[in-house]
Amino acid sequence: GFLLLGAGFAFKVAAVPFHMWTPDVYEGAPTPVTALMSAAVKSAAFVAMVRTLLFLGPSVTPEVVFAGLAGLAALTMVGGNLMALPQRNVKRMLAYSSIAHAGYLLLAVAALFVPASMAGNKDVGVMQASPLGPAAWLSADLYKGILFYLLAYTVTTLGSFGVLSAIERREDETRGSTWDLDRLSGLAQRKPGWAAAMALFMLSLGGIPPTVGFMGKLLIFRLWLHLRPGPGGR
């Protein structure tokens, strides 16, 4: 039952190998609907996943939950980014970007269940940390990191699809709803404001400093540095 529930959540957040529906749906749906699915639905799915796993986690060995989430995170980060490289359709490319970002978020969710034995016997994971213990700050920072990343991802994704939707409405008579990368060629001359906004959103989704996307990734990886085995504290 726990595995089936995990598979259902992995499907909802488009984690590899449960991601196959995402590119086709993102490409085929109207752009405003795609924006809703990529941001609001995925954020809600992650919130539901965290709440459910924290409720059911004590009944399962933390090592099992941690290994499953960490494995999904690795596959999703690597697979999503590699599959995005050859894409010529902008909406399919953003779909694979959404998959990769799900991997980064899964990394933070996995950190909630890291066993103490895998972190130098430090009392760090949510399943081990006491509300008044020395690692209570880490549990709180993990929640903050997840929420901040969800906020950053939601804003940048809605912004990028918003630009695509605006271009689509503006050029509907000449180019329709087909979304090839060539359609963005010359956008800086046609609509410099939209081009600047799209560039900013893309830099943020790519995690380029000093954008909000970079800050979200920095928070997550900073927390993982504190989970590394070995002596030392905060």
Side-chain angles (χ1 to χ4, degrees), residues 22-234:
T22 312
D24 293 333
V25 171
Y26 278 33
E27 181 183 8
T31 304
V33 177
T34 304
L36 177 66
M37 288 190 299
S38 64
V41 174
K42 179 162 290 190
S43 297
F46 266 105
V47 171
M49 173 190 282
V50 172
R51 297 269 303 183
T52 304
L53 290 180
L54 288 178
F55 181 77
L56 298 177
S59 63
V60 183
T61 306
E63 286 82 358
V64 175
V65 183
F66 174 78
L69 291 174
L72 276 179
L75 285 174
T76 306
M77 286 187 293
V78 175
N81 284 306
L82 289 180
M83 288 183 285
L85 289 175
Q87 300 301 318
R88 293 292 305 172
N89 185 285
V90 179
K91 292 171 74 173
R92 290 184 72 89
M93 181 184 67
L94 288 174
Y96 285 112
S97 170
S98 173
I99 293 170
H101 282 282
Y104 297 119
L105 281 162
L106 282 171
L107 198 65
V109 178
L112 293 172
F113 300 90
V114 61
S117 59
M118 301 181 67
N121 291 319
K122 292 181 289 185
D123 188 30
V124 291
V126 168
M127 295 297 102
Q128 294 83 26
S130 167
L132 301 177
W137 67 271
L138 185 58
S139 300
D141 280 2
L142 280 168
Y143 292 124
K144 292 176 183 177
I146 293 173
L147 290 174
F148 184 87
Y149 199 105
L150 281 174
L151 177 62
Y153 168 78
T154 300
V155 171
T156 51
T157 302
L158 285 176
S160 59
F161 277 109
V163 172
L164 295 186
S165 181
I167 297 173
E168 199 170 69
R169 289 197 304 269
R170 180 78 175 183
E171 301 176 346
D172 183 60
E173 294 181 0
T174 57
R175 304 196 185 188
S177 58
T178 303
W179 267 109
D180 190 86
L181 277 173
D182 293 335
R183 186 165 178 176
L184 295 177
S185 178
L187 183 61
Q189 286 74 38
R190 303 195 308 271
K191 292 289 181 180
W194 293 355
M198 190 66 175
L200 180 62
F201 294 137
M202 292 297 102
L203 291 173
S204 182
L205 288 174
I208 307 299
T211 60
V212 67
F214 166 77
M215 295 305 299
K217 290 181 174 63
L218 182 64
L219 281 175
I220 290 177
F221 287 111
R222 171 182 170 272
L223 292 169
W224 269 87
L225 288 177
H226 287 285
L227 299 178
R228 67 188 187 279
R234 179 171 177 174

